[in-house]
């Protein structure tokens, strides 16, 4: 049963990746990429992860299901902007709790990162998601392949725009905000 679930999630991730890549040509859409969740500074002042080192699972990095990166402004390197943790056909409360903690750890290192939870092949997320979510910026039940294009792609575009705004804010020397707002948009 576990192998079937993993295979279904892999197929769903490949389908989502293909459709997102088609609609987001200026972005890199990758499966199974690692992102840092911790950086340590030794008493000597040496940092556990230096610029240019690739994050490695088990070395202060967690693997993501789908990572969307893009060059932002004058930055030369690709910047991780959106992560999607993906499930196929169902999810448990444990999944939400676990991935929510993972999101918090990644966002501590990448404060501009937008983190989502997507279940492919499900009609709705339900109350269980709302009760156990603490760190996801977005979530969606995607009942079929058509909904990936009609619903998920626009949602990811909005999240990319939010992440890019946060990158430009955190990249500037002085931040002066007139208004900051996070909105909750629930479609029932």
């Amino acid at each position: 049963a576990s192998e079937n679930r993993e295979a279904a999630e892999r197929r769903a991730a490949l389908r989502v990746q293909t459709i997102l890549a088609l609609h987001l040509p200026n972005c890199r859409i990758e499966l199974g990429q690692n992102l840092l969740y911790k950086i340590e500074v030794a008493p000597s002042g040496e940092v556990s992860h230096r610029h240019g080192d690739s994050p490695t699972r088990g070395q202060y990095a967690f693997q993501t299901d789908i990572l969307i990166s893009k060059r932002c402004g004058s930055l030369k390197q690709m910047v991780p902007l959106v992560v999607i943790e993906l499930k196929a056909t169902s999810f448990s409360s444990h999944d939400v709790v676990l991935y929510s903690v993972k999101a918090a750890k990644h966002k501590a290192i990448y404060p501009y990162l937008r983190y989502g939870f997507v279940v492919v092949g499900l009609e709705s997320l339900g109350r269980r998601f709302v009760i156990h979510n603490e760190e996801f910026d977005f979530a969606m039940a995607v009942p079929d392949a058509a909904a990936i294009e009609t619903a998920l792609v626009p949602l990811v575009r909005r999240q990319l725009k939010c992440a890019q705004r946060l990158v430009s804010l955190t990249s500037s020397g002085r931040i002066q905000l007139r208004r900051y707002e996070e909105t909750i948009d629930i479609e029932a």
Side-chain angles (χ1 to χ4, degrees), residues 91 93 96 122 124-133 186:
F91 70 96
S93 299
V96 178
L122 190 66
S124 65
L125 296 175
R127 185 172 169 226
R128 171 178 35 174
F129 175 81
V130 175
I131 290 170
H132 296 290
N133 173 44
I186 298 174

Side-chain angles (χ1 to χ4, degrees), residues 2-63:
S2 173
E3 285 181 35
N4 289 341
R5 182 172 176 91
E6 287 176 23
E9 287 178 5
R10 179 80 179 148
R11 283 191 305 275
L14 285 168
R15 176 175 283 160
V16 169
Q17 177 193 32
T18 300
I19 293 171
L20 288 175
L22 179 67
H23 291 279
L24 304 168
N26 296 328
C27 295
R28 184 186 300 158
I29 319 293
E30 299 174 287
L31 302 181
Q33 290 300 304
N34 298 312
L35 275 183
L36 291 172
Y37 66 81
K38 183 178 186 177
I39 296 175
E40 286 185 350
V41 179
S44 64
E46 188 173 325
V47 178
S48 62
H49 183 272
R50 288 183 267 294
H51 178 70
D53 295 348
S54 292
T56 305
R57 190 172 172 193
Q59 299 288 311
Y60 304 125
F62 288 136
Q63 188 175 55

Side-chain angles (χ1 to χ4, degrees), residues 146-167:
I148 296 170
E149 287 192 71
T150 61
L152 184 59
V153 168
L155 174 61
V156 169
R157 279 192 178 124
R158 289 191 304 273
Q159 294 302 317
L160 279 166
K161 194 179 274 188
C162 290
Q164 288 173 295
R165 284 183 189 141
L166 290 169
V167 166

